[in-house]
Amino acid sequence: QVEADLREALRQIGNQALGLFLSSMQTTPEEEITCSCGGILHYQRMREATVISVFGKTTYKRAYYAGCTCKEGKAPIDEQFGLEPGAVTAGLAMLLALAGIGFSYDTSPKWLQAYLLFDISENTVRSETEQMGALQEKREEGLIQQSQDEGYLQQRLRHPGQIAPRLYGSIDAAKVRTEPRAKKGKEKEDHEDWRDMKVLCWFETETVPPSQRSKRQQKKADREQTALRAKNKQYFCDITEANEFGKLLWATGCTVNADLCPDLVFLGDGATWIWNLVTKYYPHAKQIVDWYHAEEHLEVVATAAFSDLIQRKTWLEETTQALWDGQVEDVIAACKALSQTCLQASQAVTYFTNNKERMRYDRFRAAGYMIGSGTIESGCKQIVTQRLKLPGAQWIVVGAVHTAKARSAWLSGHWQNLCALRSALPLAI
């Protein structure tokens, strides 16, 4: 109770101190100042204003000007400190958005109340979180415009900056439950709709020291002769068509010099749209189908084709070893032999044939490449599953996109960039 009382006392002290500080920054008011429209504003009075800060509702007094023909008023102190009366401050907005990307919007206010010691509405948390996502979206739009500017691209070729000796890119998608929408050929909306949140990750890798290896990493080291983990991860996401997502793929790739990297590697599952984008924008990149996805296809075939457990185990061990050794033609032949009586085997023939050159795992291991797409799958879980797919969650598309973009910026270490943009918002309007 002593701690609780002291926390509340400190909050009140902070609230009063902030109000006094803002009021004290007001110098002797000038009689006239220039309006943003070019006209003249006249001093009216010392007008009280209230903002919601990290200490709660904070009140201060500042000079207020009006009387211009445009009928707009102005308080210079508000502009100086990026304040908007009745709204939250940039410092509080950062905390609200952090809660919004970590918890559901109905849970966030309870969590925040325990830390801030005052109540915040669910809609305020939602608004500030989505505002951060909108800022990230605007930042990405700027990158896309920049990446299509010939002058910028030529300048980057002359002065590229740091280029990683080996860089990875990985793309995947996860389903998000969104508001119903009408389907083609249907008059009424469906009960619900599921949309693909496409997720991209750029990253580098490093060897995991033996003393830091988990059991899974040690198992990988024993089998692959090395254990790699991702570092310097940067996530980007959107709900959009593949062609539009390709623009984001290219633009963000320019920021990490992916097109200039001498050893660019892409990891993914067998989705055609992923490899089409990679081939279009980074034709020189090495393409690798995730080992675990490929292995799972063999398990599906074995389960469907053999009722005898011994035959199933024998076939699966032999074909898995062939796949591990990069002998994809042998894997295709083994599946083809079962295709007349097994639909799953017939489908596997198509899958392995289409991705044959992306499954030369013996060569990839020899070159020291990561062959699992766990990094992007983890990204999908962190961005989509752990936030957008909470029990009962159903989103409007723009809300899902902005929340996911804000969360991806946090995971990528770009949060302070968004906070700086958020601090400047009132001045930029």
Side-chain angles (χ1 to χ4, degrees):
Q1 187 60 46
V2 170
E3 289 179 305
D5 290 345
L6 282 172
R7 285 183 65 204
E8 175 59 23
L10 290 171
R11 184 189 71 81
Q12 294 180 20
I13 291 171
N15 197 355
Q16 294 173 15
L18 180 59
L20 290 170
F21 169 79
L22 292 173
S23 298
S24 69
M25 295 305 293
Q26 178 63 64
T27 56
T28 303
E30 300 178 26
E31 289 300 319
E32 296 179 345
I33 62 173
T34 302
C35 181
S36 56
C37 73
I40 300 298
L41 287 167
H42 303 278
Y43 172 69
Q44 303 295 304
R45 64 186 185 280
M46 294 296 291
R47 186 172 178 178
E48 192 172 82
T50 299
V51 291
I52 308 173
S53 72
V54 295
F55 304 109
K57 291 185 177 180
T58 302
T59 301
Y60 61 102
K61 288 186 177 181
R62 79 278 196 251
Y64 184 76
Y65 293 79
C68 181
T69 55
C70 70
K71 298 183 179 180
E72 294 292 330
K74 181 178 181 179
I77 288 295
D78 292 348
E79 292 189 350
Q80 179 182 347
F81 289 98
L83 300 173
E84 185 178 353
V88 304
T89 62
L92 179 59
M94 177 186 69
L95 299 180
L96 300 186
L98 277 178
I101 64 174
F103 302 91
S104 65
Y105 289 131
D106 59 344
T107 301
S108 295
K110 303 172 187 176
W111 185 86
L112 284 163
Q113 202 283 333
Y115 279 84
L116 297 176
L117 304 181
F118 60 90
D119 293 328
I120 293 289
S121 73
E122 175 183 332
N123 285 337
T124 302
V125 178
R126 183 193 306 273
S127 175
E128 293 301 332
T129 304
E130 292 183 2
Q131 179 67 76
M132 285 294 194
L135 290 172
Q136 175 65 12
E137 184 176 58
K138 187 175 182 180
R139 176 173 173 264
E140 291 170 1
E141 288 172 354
L143 294 178
I144 291 174
Q145 292 179 356
Q146 178 180 264
S147 69
Q148 297 173 356
D149 179 76
E150 186 175 345
Y152 161 77
L153 295 175
Q154 291 177 349
Q155 177 67 17
R156 194 170 63 91
L157 286 174
R158 290 191 292 267
H159 306 286
Q162 185 175 0
I163 300 176
R166 176 177 292 175
L167 181 69
Y168 288 82
S170 197
I171 306 172
D172 205 349
K175 297 288 185 183
V176 178
R177 184 172 175 240
T178 61
E179 61 183 356
R181 59 173 177 164
K183 303 289 187 180
K184 291 182 179 179
K186 296 183 179 181
E187 295 182 359
K188 295 182 179 180
E189 293 181 341
D190 288 348
H191 177 63
E192 62 183 21
D193 191 27
W194 290 87
R195 303 285 295 276
D196 275 339
M197 176 72 73
K198 295 178 175 65
V199 182
L200 158 69
C201 184
W202 296 106
F203 63 98
E204 299 173 53
T205 58
E206 62 184 1
T207 302
V208 184
S211 60
Q212 299 179 16
R213 291 173 185 169
S214 63
K215 289 184 178 180
R216 182 179 180 183
Q217 289 171 334
Q218 187 57 50
K219 185 177 180 181
K220 288 181 65 178
D222 293 340
R223 186 174 189 181
E224 302 175 27
Q225 286 76 54
T226 186
L228 299 175
R229 63 186 174 195
K231 66 175 184 178
N232 302 331
K233 293 174 284 189
Q234 296 189 46
Y235 292 106
F236 301 92
C237 60
D238 208 343
I239 295 178
T240 187
E241 298 300 322
N243 288 339
E244 287 299 310
F245 194 73
K247 297 177 183 179
L248 185 62
L249 171 65
W250 169 250
T252 56
C254 287
T255 65
V256 293
N257 287 325
D259 55 319
L260 305 180
C261 179
D263 198 4
L264 179 62
V265 184
F266 268 89
L267 284 161
D269 57 24
T272 303
W273 68 271
I274 293 177
W275 301 119
N276 286 344
L277 287 181
V278 173
T279 301
K280 177 180 179 179
Y281 289 100
Y282 302 101
H284 70 292
K286 298 173 182 65
Q287 301 180 9
I288 303 177
V289 167
D290 170 58
W291 160 257
Y292 301 99
H293 277 85
E295 187 181 32
E296 285 174 6
H297 274 74
L298 294 179
E299 293 175 359
V300 170
V301 173
T303 302
F306 299 99
S307 57
D308 183 274
L309 295 181
I310 295 178
Q311 287 182 321
R312 180 189 302 175
K313 181 180 179 181
T314 301
W315 185 90
L316 184 58
E317 288 179 349
E318 290 176 353
T319 52
T320 301
Q321 187 60 48
L323 184 64
W324 181 254
D325 293 335
Q327 298 168 1
V328 190
E329 290 79 5
D330 292 347
V331 174
I332 295 172
C335 293
K336 191 173 292 186
L338 304 172
S339 61
Q340 295 299 319
T341 58
C342 180
L343 174 62
Q344 289 81 356
S346 179
Q347 294 171 339
V349 169
T350 302
Y351 171 76
F352 286 107
T353 300
N354 290 343
N355 294 290
K356 182 167 56 177
E357 295 308 315
R358 302 184 184 106
M359 296 179 174
R360 303 300 184 184
Y361 297 113
D362 56 333
R363 302 176 193 172
F364 300 148
R365 297 197 318 277
Y369 294 141
M370 180 180 282
I371 61 173
S373 61
T375 301
I376 192 63
E377 291 177 14
S378 173
C380 286
K381 289 178 181 178
Q382 293 181 78
I383 295 170
V384 180
T385 306
Q386 294 178 6
R387 179 60 186 91
L388 303 186
K389 297 177 80 169
L390 294 173
Q394 181 170 313
W395 299 81
I396 60 171
V397 173
V398 66
V401 169
H402 286 166
T403 302
K405 284 184 179 294
R407 189 168 169 86
S408 66
W410 166 259
L411 294 171
S412 304
H414 297 157
W415 191 252
Q416 291 305 319
N417 295 335
L418 296 189
C419 292
L421 292 173
R422 171 61 180 81
S423 296
L425 272 182
L427 295 179
I429 292 176

